[in-house]
Amino acid sequence: MAQNVHTQKTSDSGVSIWLDDLSRSRIESGSLQDLIANKNVVGVTTNPSIFQKALAEVGPYDEQLKELGKVDVETAIRELTTTDVRNATDIFREIAEATDYVNGRVSIEVDPRLAHDTENTAKQAVELWEKVNRPNAMIKIPATLEGLPAITATLAKGISVNVTLIFSIERYEQVIDAYIEGIKQAHANGHDLTKIASVASFFVSRVDSAIDAKLEEIGTDEAKALEGKAAVANARIAYELFENKFANDPAWAELEAAGAKRQRPLWASTGTKNPAYSPSKYVDELVAEDVVNTMPEKTLNALAEQGNGAPSIKGTYEESHAVMDKLAELGIDIKQVTDKLEADGVAAFIKSWDSVIADVQAGIDRVNA
């Protein structure tokens, strides 16, 4: 079967298409393999909300829960989620090897309750990496202030990292710095830099949801004209920073010569929240070389039906900065918005994790009744 023409064009323009979803039923039904074969999917991301949806399914996990017996719920969650991620990494192993481990990656996130705990985040990152035990896994660590040193410490051990919950340009620059320092330490520790990969998950649609609400409140024609523009402008400025930092950092040049790979921007939260916007908006408007776009299946299907795939970031930097300047002139404090989005993102993942605990405990009780 040939790949879909729209996803192929997007891929040809330099975008690695990753699926923002994973479940045992998706793996066992062959759905994941179909998306690889037909829609250019070359990686997977998970998060607490995705696992909450997956583990709420009655049936797919019962057999493993029976095998585990009456274990504590935290152990059960670890076993269930790492099994899914391990099996998915095996499905992507061929892609990983063919792309020198740039793609074919499957991410698993540290417990979101550790988002402000540097030491235990770094500790759990190692535990998850060793438990999955696959070279094409990635450990997701949130880009909180406390997460930054944990990112460096994890990379220093030769572990690939997906940095998540990035909303602001300021925080993104700190993430790149944490990455470069981590790779520097990994090099000093004797790790093979060619096998370490990292992505910086920059969240997109949630920025529009927050800022559009403020623009609606202002209500002027000038404000309304900016609706639906903030998120893409913010992400395009992030890509500008990506280009500049990795092109001009002398420490990075040495590491790259030693085999290190640039940490790629990953566009996350790419499902369109506003029905007035194109369902593939946050893919089509963020096409450039060396980026990842992780999308829920609904967005992937929209891309397959109508995606453009043409490069859409280069040449937009001046316009993007102008959008952010206009928002500031209207009194919208982007830092205040992104700080709240980060806090809300952590809180939402903790809420999902609490549901995971309840659902898995119910499963343990059910199969051991």
Side-chain angles (χ1 to χ4, degrees), residues 126-206:
V126 173
E127 289 168 359
L128 287 171
W129 178 257
E130 291 176 349
K131 186 76 181 161
V132 174
N133 192 28
R134 293 294 185 272
N136 52 323
M138 253 183 185
I139 307 304
K140 268 179 116 170
I141 298 174
T144 56
L145 284 172
E146 298 86 355
L148 295 170
I151 290 158
T152 296
T154 304
L155 289 159
K157 293 182 174 74
I159 296 170
S160 295
V161 175
N162 176 342
V163 183
T164 189
L165 288 176
I166 308 169
F167 294 94
S168 73
I169 302 300
E170 175 191 34
R171 184 56 53 82
Y172 178 40
E173 184 158 20
Q174 293 171 318
V175 165
I176 296 175
D177 290 339
Y179 172 70
I180 293 173
E181 179 57 32
I183 293 296
K184 193 191 298 181
Q185 291 181 25
H187 190 41
N189 292 337
H191 291 290
D192 179 359
L193 301 187
T194 65
K195 292 290 189 288
I196 306 171
S198 183
V199 291
S201 296
F202 200 89
F203 280 52
V204 187
S205 68
R206 294 185 199 182

Side-chain angles (χ1 to χ4, degrees), residues 48 73-74 77-78 109-117 120-121 124 142 346 349-351 353-354 357:
V73 70
E74 302 278 347
I77 291 166
R78 181 74 54 85
E109 190 157 344
V110 295
D111 186 328
R113 296 171 298 180
L114 302 176
H116 300 292
D117 182 339
N120 283 311
T121 291
Q124 192 177 92
V346 171
F349 280 166
I350 290 172
K351 187 178 177 186
W353 202 246
D354 288 341
I357 291 168

Side-chain angles (χ1 to χ4, degrees), residues 263-277:
Q263 180 190 54
R264 293 185 294 167
L266 177 150
W267 310 130
S269 179
T270 55
T272 307
K273 310 278 194 290
N274 188 332
Y277 301 155

Side-chain angles (χ1 to χ4, degrees), residues 281-304:
K281 172 182 173 68
Y282 300 114
V283 184
D284 290 336
E285 294 183 25
L286 293 171
V287 174
E289 291 176 5
D290 282 331
V291 301
V292 180
N293 194 307
T294 187
M295 46 192 103
E297 191 169 17
K298 186 177 175 185
T299 305
L300 177 60
N301 289 339
L303 178 69

Side-chain angles (χ1 to χ4, degrees), residues 9-43:
K9 190 174 179 188
T10 301
S11 182
D12 289 344
S13 292
V15 179
S16 294
I17 297 171
W18 290 8
L19 180 70
D20 194 28
D21 189 50
L22 188 65
S23 66
R24 191 150 303 180
S25 54
R26 185 181 286 284
I27 292 168
E28 291 178 347
S29 68
S31 162
L32 184 58
Q33 292 89 331
D34 286 345
L35 295 177
I36 293 168
N38 303 318
K39 290 180 181 167
N40 294 88
V41 169
V42 292

Side-chain angles (χ1 to χ4, degrees), residues 269-349:
S269 179
T270 55
T272 307
K273 310 278 194 290
N274 188 332
Y277 301 155
S278 161
S280 58
K281 172 182 173 68
Y282 300 114
V283 184
D284 290 336
E285 294 183 25
L286 293 171
V287 174
E289 291 176 5
D290 282 331
V291 301
V292 180
N293 194 307
T294 187
M295 46 192 103
E297 191 169 17
K298 186 177 175 185
T299 305
L300 177 60
N301 289 339
L303 178 69
E305 284 170 20
Q306 62 177 53
N308 183 311
S312 54
I313 294 182
K314 296 276 180 82
T316 66
Y317 301 147
E318 194 176 328
E319 173 195 335
S320 298
H321 285 284
V323 167
M324 304 314 276
D325 290 344
K326 284 176 189 169
L327 290 169
E329 285 164 18
L330 288 172
I332 293 174
D333 182 339
I334 187 70
K335 185 177 187 309
Q336 190 178 58
V337 170
T338 55
D339 283 353
K340 186 175 187 309
L341 285 169
E342 180 187 296
D344 289 350
V346 171
F349 280 166

